[in-house]
Amino acid sequence: MHVLVTGGAGYVGSVVSAHLLAAGHRVTVLDDLSTGHADAVAPGAALVPGSIADRAATDVAFGRSTIDAVVHCAAKSLVAESVRAPELYWSNNVGGSLALLEAMRKHGVGRIVFSSTAATYGEPESVPILESAPARPTNPYGSSKLAVDQMLASYANAYGFSAVSLRYFNVAGALIGDGLSLGERHATETHLIPIALQVAAGTRPALSVFGTAYPTPDGTCVRDYIHIIDLADAHLRALEWTARSEQAHLVCNLGSGSGNSVLEVVEAVRRVTGSPTPTVAHPNRSGDPAVLIASNGLAQEVLGWAPTRDLEQMVLDAWNFAQQPARSA
Ligand code: UFG
């Protein structure tokens, strides 16, 4: 199939593109390169530089040849920024997605896999979190992603779209090999594993541990980490699901089903890198739930998907990626 990957120059989109190409599919990337990198576009994918909100750009992307389905990763994704400047999230994530869905209608494409997030759930009542749990996001980033999930449900109902919202938990790791080196390159890095690896490499003095008195076994937050390659594989399976489903919207968590605390992640970083990786206790980061763990039973049942790479592998691959010659952030 020929897949249009929006945000295909970013972390998730680049690895999803490479995974689709390796499986023998054709890929066109639509990316405005605002946070992505042209050199991260998977070799073999065609790049259309432009925004999902720009009709001229989507006309080019959809018009080149028949697109069978869309993987929609293009988005703003910084929680703190979304609190400071919510208009960016309503405009890019919600307005941009609406423009993309309208472009899909115009070009007769009705299959889409969307990058949704665990942030749609907000503070969970219980874990593991089922897809049927209440969605009560606590920041505009999560709200904007939830709005698109709901948009997809309405397009499935009204226009026969076949759509999957994949709710990612904490994505980590990299894709390295076969001439590829794709990983996290955020100008503003907020994620735990890349930051801890910068400490291990000596480019940051210490890791700030945000909160040490949470109601968890070691007092630090617990998250559900998932390897980027397992995540990419789920996208391919979700695309296959859209081919056999009509007028349907599936919401599906992507997580391992188990959690690791911040201190456990730091221990994994120490083991992999051999560096002492110093930490300093910090106050809680505002809006951080104590524990986020996915139920992944639905992904197993409906997509036949299960993660195969553990935290150690994520840290090792992210470390190998970070050790490579400097690239632009
Ligand atoms: N953390 C630290 N120090 C740091 C960075 C993070 O202690 O320097 C902690 C955080 O407080 C949190 C854990 O490490 O407890 C993981 O933090 P990340 O920023 O790596 O990830 P989040 O769990 O905050 O965010 C992830 C996704 C978001 C999504 C969110 C849903 O990356 O896109 O889950 O809650 F919105």
Side-chain angles (χ1 to χ4, degrees):
M1 71 189 139
H2 186 178
V3 183
L4 177 65
V5 179
T6 74
Y11 174 43
V12 173
S14 63
V15 177
V16 168
S17 298
H19 194 73
L20 291 172
L21 288 161
H25 300 293
R26 254 183 92 185
V27 173
T28 294
V29 165
L30 175 62
D31 197 304
D32 67 3
L33 303 177
S34 57
T35 52
H37 306 273
D39 63 4
V41 173
L47 171 64
V48 176
S51 162
I52 50 173
D54 176 0
R55 178 62 72 92
T58 52
D59 277 349
V60 172
F62 283 103
R64 280 218 175 140
S65 71
T66 313
I67 299 285
D68 299 295
V70 174
V71 173
H72 177 27
C73 302
K76 294 217 150 278
S77 62
L78 296 171
V79 170
E81 179 186 64
S82 80
V83 175
R84 263 197 327 271
E87 72 283 1
L88 297 176
Y89 287 73
W90 296 115
S91 150
N92 283 278
N93 294 5
V94 179
S97 295
L98 178 58
L100 177 70
L101 295 195
E102 284 303 291
M104 289 175 66
R105 282 180 66 203
K106 176 178 171 188
H107 293 277
V109 180
R111 292 168 55 198
I112 180 167
V113 174
F114 171 60
S115 301
S116 186
T117 169
T120 54
Y121 295 113
E123 181 85 45
E125 282 167 6
S126 61
V127 293
I129 304 173
L130 288 161
E131 288 82 354
S132 56
R136 291 191 287 241
T138 52
N139 53 63
Y141 167 67
S143 301
S144 71
K145 290 284 182 173
L146 179 61
V148 179
D149 289 347
Q150 293 171 338
M151 204 186 285
L152 291 171
S154 69
Y155 273 62
N157 177 57
Y159 303 121
F161 273 42
S162 174
V164 182
S165 292
L166 294 174
R167 291 194 171 158
Y168 309 163
F169 280 65
N170 288 61
V171 188
L175 171 61
I176 299 171
D178 292 334
L180 294 172
S181 178
L182 302 170
E184 276 187 273
R185 290 161 68 185
H186 299 129
T188 312
E189 190 52 79
T190 62
H191 290 139
L192 175 62
I193 291 176
I195 290 177
L197 290 174
Q198 288 171 6
V199 176
T203 54
R204 270 185 204 247
L207 175 77
S208 302
V209 175
F210 296 141
T212 52
Y214 280 98
T216 59
D218 65 19
T220 66
C221 287
V222 170
R223 293 290 181 271
D224 182 334
Y225 293 89
I226 168 175
H227 197 293
I228 184 76
I229 299 176
D230 286 329
L231 187 93
D233 180 49
H235 287 69
L236 178 52
R237 290 164 185 269
L239 282 168
E240 288 162 355
W241 182 90
T242 62
R244 55 178 191 268
S245 312
E246 271 173 37
Q247 196 155 10
H249 177 228
L250 173 71
V251 173
C252 192
N253 290 340
L254 292 183
S256 70
S258 62
N260 289 103
S261 71
V262 172
L263 293 183
E264 285 172 343
V265 170
V266 172
E267 278 308 319
V269 166
R270 288 176 178 148
R271 279 195 302 276
V272 165
T273 65
S275 151
T277 316
T279 61
V280 281
H282 242 257
N284 296 6
R285 194 171 64 177
S286 140
D288 264 348
V291 181
L292 288 175
I293 296 175
S295 158
N296 64 12
L298 190 70
Q300 295 196 27
E301 189 188 314
V302 178
L303 304 181
W305 175 88
T308 59
R309 295 162 180 84
D310 62 9
L311 179 66
E312 205 88 1
Q313 188 72 51
M314 292 178 224
V315 171
L316 177 62
D317 290 347
W319 177 240
N320 286 334
F321 178 75
Q323 293 299 98
Q324 291 183 354
R327 323 166 181 82
S328 61

